[in-house]
Amino acid sequence: MYIWARLVRTVIAARCGKPLAGGATKSSVVGRIWPQDLDINLHVNNGRYLTLMDLGRLDFVFRSGLGSAGLKGRRRPVLTGLSARYKSSLGLFQKYRMETELIGWTERSIFMEHRIIPLSGPARETVAVTAVVRAVILEPDNSKVETRELLSGLGYPAESPPLSESCASLLSPAERAALHDAGAGGGRRRDMSFPERSAAR
């Protein structure tokens, strides 16, 4: 069962709450584990962690202002890649903090990292789950919106920070080769340093 009630509460809180400062790259939300989040081993199902991360992305998108450009005119966000690592588990009624951070971008993709941190129990205040996701914004005709348009006016720099290995693992072979060539040429790895036309969605 999808977490519709929590999603609605998150969107309302993000839209009515304090916006992030211009250019801010990180937001956080606090949640609790409920019975429907558990599997037969009575801890959070691996897939449920990924569903809970939807809440972190929504909070960041609406509080940063990305939602205004990303969702206008029947545009829709789509995940095109994900890499997750599970370090410890969360149990029933356990509170957690989810940190969501914008860590880089390319011409038409955005990379975010999620960190789920228990607020109680033996693993308190240590990262239990991390995931890096790659997302694109699609127009109604399924063309990808350029990142520069999404970030324009929100206080973010024109260049992406260097992409981490976790981000690079979500690129196509052609994109990784172009990124490597750009780095080998002595220049800083840039958000516009390679095209995405050859990348598979």
Side-chain angles (χ1 to χ4, degrees), residues 128-195:
V129 183
T130 61
V132 172
V133 300
R134 178 182 184 178
V136 299
I137 305 296
L138 298 180
E139 298 279 13
D141 63 359
N142 288 330
S143 62
K144 297 176 183 177
V145 179
E146 289 192 0
T147 307
R148 71 171 78 224
E149 178 185 345
L150 297 174
L151 301 182
S152 176
L154 297 180
Y156 296 102
E159 289 188 353
S160 168
L163 296 182
S164 67
E165 290 300 321
S166 296
C167 295
S169 70
L170 302 178
L171 300 173
S172 70
E175 290 172 320
R176 287 196 296 272
L179 194 64
H180 179 270
D181 291 344
R188 187 181 177 190
R189 287 181 287 185
R190 303 182 60 193
D191 56 321
M192 303 300 172
S193 60
F194 50 83

Side-chain angles (χ1 to χ4, degrees), residues 80-133:
T80 60
L82 180 147
S83 175
R85 184 177 181 184
Y86 304 92
K87 301 178 181 179
S88 60
S89 60
L90 274 70
L92 184 62
F93 302 133
Q94 196 165 2
K95 289 186 69 175
Y96 64 88
R97 180 176 71 253
M98 185 187 317
E99 297 176 349
T100 300
E101 184 174 3
L102 176 65
I103 58 174
W105 52 87
T106 63
E107 188 178 6
R108 293 184 177 86
S109 293
I110 289 175
F111 296 89
M112 291 184 178
E113 182 177 37
H114 299 287
R115 295 178 291 274
I116 295 180
I117 302 167
L119 298 180
S120 61
R124 182 176 181 231
E125 292 295 344
T126 62
V127 177
V129 183
T130 61
V132 172
V133 300

Side-chain angles (χ1 to χ4, degrees), residues 9-10 20 32 55 63 131 170 177 185 192 195-196:
R9 286 198 299 270
T10 298
L20 298 175
R32 187 181 296 275
L55 305 179
R63 292 180 60 207
L170 302 178
M192 303 300 172
E196 295 199 14

Side-chain angles (χ1 to χ4, degrees), residues 13-28:
R15 295 190 71 126
C16 297
K18 183 178 179 180
L20 298 175
T25 60
K26 186 187 298 184
S27 72
S28 65

Side-chain angles (χ1 to χ4, degrees), residues 19-107:
L20 298 175
T25 60
K26 186 187 298 184
S27 72
S28 65
V29 295
V30 173
R32 187 181 296 275
I33 301 304
W34 298 104
Q36 60 267 36
D37 299 323
L38 306 182
D39 59 18
I40 59 173
N41 295 313
L42 300 182
H43 61 209
V44 178
N45 176 282
N46 290 352
R48 179 63 95 183
Y49 284 119
L50 305 182
T51 301
L52 293 173
M53 289 173 185
D54 288 350
L55 305 179
R57 282 193 297 280
L58 284 170
D59 177 75
F60 180 85
V61 163
F62 283 108
R63 292 180 60 207
S64 67
L66 275 171
S68 298
L71 301 178
K72 72 177 183 181
R74 296 173 58 198
R75 289 174 172 173
R76 63 193 190 281
V78 176
L79 289 190
T80 60
L82 180 147
S83 175
R85 184 177 181 184
Y86 304 92
K87 301 178 181 179
S88 60
S89 60
L90 274 70
L92 184 62
F93 302 133
Q94 196 165 2
K95 289 186 69 175
Y96 64 88
R97 180 176 71 253
M98 185 187 317
E99 297 176 349
T100 300
E101 184 174 3
L102 176 65
I103 58 174
W105 52 87
T106 63
E107 188 178 6

